[in-house]
Amino acid sequence: MSEKPRVLVTGAGGFIGHHLIKYLVGRGYWVRGVDIKEPDYEPTAAHEFQLLDLRYETSCLRATKGIDEVYALAANMGGVGFIERNRALICHDNSLINVNSIEAARLNRAARFLFTSSACVYPAYLQTNTEATPLKEEDAYPADAEDGYGWEKLFMERVCRHYHEEYGLETRVVRFHNIFGPLGAFEGGREKSPAAICRKVALATDGGAIEVWGDGEQTRSYCYIKDCVEGIYRLMRNSYCGPLNLGQDRFVKISELVDMVAHSAGKRILKRFDVTKPQGVRGRTSDNTRLRQVLNWSPSVSLEEGIEKTYHWIESEVTKQAQPAPKVSAASPF
Ligand code: NAD
């Protein structure tokens, strides 16, 4: 048996969980993946994959049995359109998933528990300007988090702190800033801005127009999936137990992001701005000073490189979907 800790990744059927499992297996860890669904685009690399609904205590106890370290990624979430329309559902599902997961980890004597929080914990009052001031970890208070999803994440950050202080569980809290890359949702309403823009550009003709949510002036920073999983792993191995941003310093306007995707596609794309659509905060970027101090590392994949890879994966998926289904022959019993 491996000398390394036995690992559980929840949300293993999702975007980041799926990539994280590949990374951990590649580093020689034995990994159990748990989700309510299988990964969408390729089989899991996990040694064991359990289909479980982690809103239930019994499922969480099964998932964490015999596990030393938990990477808790499971969440009911999506892009800005989804989180602004499903606040009750998000608060209900994610509160249950999170408190049941950490309690089960404690009862089953796991040593470490890493919770995946979000830039959505930061207060709206610091994000009203497109010239976004980089958000430091301590800026989360006085709290005015994104309504629903952000408050739920902020609450779970506190739960992690209390489990650490009162039960001695080694908790880790990472705040992601817009993670993107291949194998993430790109349609159906749960996709985030880079994937949605890539899909729209892939479907557009050269010289055609795409709809862009908002006026295009809103700003964001993005972090490529390869850097994300490396950062998560480094944090789990580190002794730092406060919340830690994981993102890139550079921020761009959504309009610039569209131009970047169009460049990767080799297409001329016109933008039709729709200010009636949800667009989230006006400007948001990450201060990564503490990330560099604590992990002695920072993300290195450029936005251009990440977008190039993401665009070409989404384009290939869109092309596959556009192909006609094979004809059923007359001899077929179906
Ligand atoms: P994702 O939606 O691709 O993955 C989440 C997974 O959780 C899904 O596969 C889903 O089926 C699973 N899940 C939902 N409800 C469940 C349940 N009841 N039981 C078991 N599994 C359940 O999202 P992701 O982008 O991979 O995000 C992973 C984590 O990182 C989430 O906690 C998310 O809130 C957080 N996060 C992500 C980003 C980002 O940019 N992707 C930003 C901030 C925070």
Side-chain angles (χ1 to χ4, degrees):
M1 210 179 78
S2 165
E3 297 281 307
K4 291 188 168 174
R6 287 166 63 94
V7 164
L8 166 67
V9 176
T10 75
F15 167 49
I16 303 174
H18 180 71
H19 282 280
L20 178 63
I21 288 176
K22 285 204 279 191
Y23 177 88
L24 292 170
V25 169
R27 293 195 78 104
Y29 285 84
W30 182 92
V31 182
R32 175 183 297 152
V34 170
D35 204 298
I36 41 170
K37 68 168 181 67
E38 305 269 355
D40 291 323
Y41 306 107
E42 59 179 32
T44 183
H47 298 91
E48 191 181 294
F49 192 95
Q50 297 181 354
L51 283 173
L52 292 171
D53 185 340
L54 294 173
R55 289 174 298 182
Y56 299 99
E57 199 182 342
T58 46
S59 302
C60 292
L61 286 167
R62 267 185 69 187
T64 51
K65 197 164 186 331
I67 290 295
D68 303 307
E69 296 186 351
V70 179
Y71 292 85
L73 277 76
N76 194 351
M77 58 93 68
V80 63
F82 180 82
I83 63 174
E84 288 193 5
R85 280 196 317 272
N86 294 282
R87 293 192 167 113
L89 180 72
I90 285 169
C91 288
H92 174 268
D93 285 2
N94 296 346
S95 303
L96 290 174
I97 292 170
N98 292 334
V99 296
N100 283 326
S101 294
I102 197 168
E103 177 65 359
R106 179 182 81 88
L107 292 172
N108 275 325
R109 300 182 192 287
R112 291 183 187 213
F113 183 96
L114 182 144
F115 173 61
T116 50
S117 187
S118 167
C120 289
V121 301
Y122 287 110
Y125 60 78
L126 292 179
Q127 303 174 77
T128 54
N129 196 326
T130 55
E131 286 302 315
T133 307
L135 295 160
K136 295 191 182 70
E137 284 78 358
E138 55 272 27
D139 291 338
Y141 296 94
D144 179 20
E146 196 279 329
D147 210 358
Y149 178 69
W151 275 106
E152 190 280 318
K153 289 286 188 195
L154 197 59
F155 171 70
M156 186 57 193
E157 289 190 1
R158 303 296 285 200
V159 174
C160 288
R161 176 172 149 184
H162 300 313
Y163 268 65
H164 178 66
E165 288 170 352
E166 294 177 12
Y167 296 136
L169 180 62
E170 285 293 333
T171 54
R172 306 285 180 267
V173 174
V174 62
R175 290 180 185 157
F176 293 145
H177 287 251
N178 294 312
I179 311 304
F180 74 103
L183 307 179
F186 64 91
E187 61 183 355
R190 289 186 185 254
E191 66 278 18
K192 312 280 176 46
S193 52
I197 293 167
C198 287
R199 184 197 72 239
K200 290 175 188 179
V201 170
L203 289 168
T205 52
D206 187 15
I210 66 161
E211 180 192 84
V212 180
W213 287 13
D215 63 1
E217 293 295 304
Q218 66 272 37
T219 51
R220 295 289 184 278
S221 58
Y222 295 94
C223 179
Y224 189 61
I225 185 68
K226 182 167 179 282
D227 283 328
C228 171
V229 295
E230 173 86 29
I232 299 173
Y233 175 69
R234 283 173 179 262
L235 178 58
M236 182 64 116
R237 301 268 55 85
N238 200 279
S239 60
Y240 187 77
C241 63
L244 195 67
N245 282 334
L246 176 48
Q248 291 254 31
D249 293 348
R250 176 179 173 194
F251 65 100
V252 293
K253 293 178 181 174
I254 293 295
S255 187
E256 291 169 339
L257 190 66
V258 175
D259 294 341
M260 207 178 281
V261 173
H263 182 264
S264 288
K267 293 180 184 178
R268 283 164 299 134
I269 294 292
L270 304 172
K271 295 165 241 178
R272 260 197 333 264
F273 298 107
D274 185 346
V275 293
T276 67
K277 291 281 168 36
Q279 50 183 297
V281 293
R282 196 68 184 138
R284 174 185 288 161
T285 185
S286 169
D287 184 314
N288 302 301
T289 311
R290 193 171 299 165
L291 177 78
R292 286 188 282 270
Q293 280 167 355
V294 169
L295 301 186
N296 194 22
W297 169 90
S298 62
S300 60
V301 179
S302 72
L303 187 54
E304 283 81 359
E305 188 187 338
I307 286 292
E308 179 84 14
K309 292 196 163 87
T310 308
Y311 176 75
H312 289 295
W313 176 75
I314 291 177
E315 185 193 37
S316 72
E317 289 298 308
V318 166
T319 308
K320 268 190 237 162
Q321 288 178 355
Q323 281 160 4
K327 284 200 178 119
V328 179
S329 84
S332 165
F334 304 106

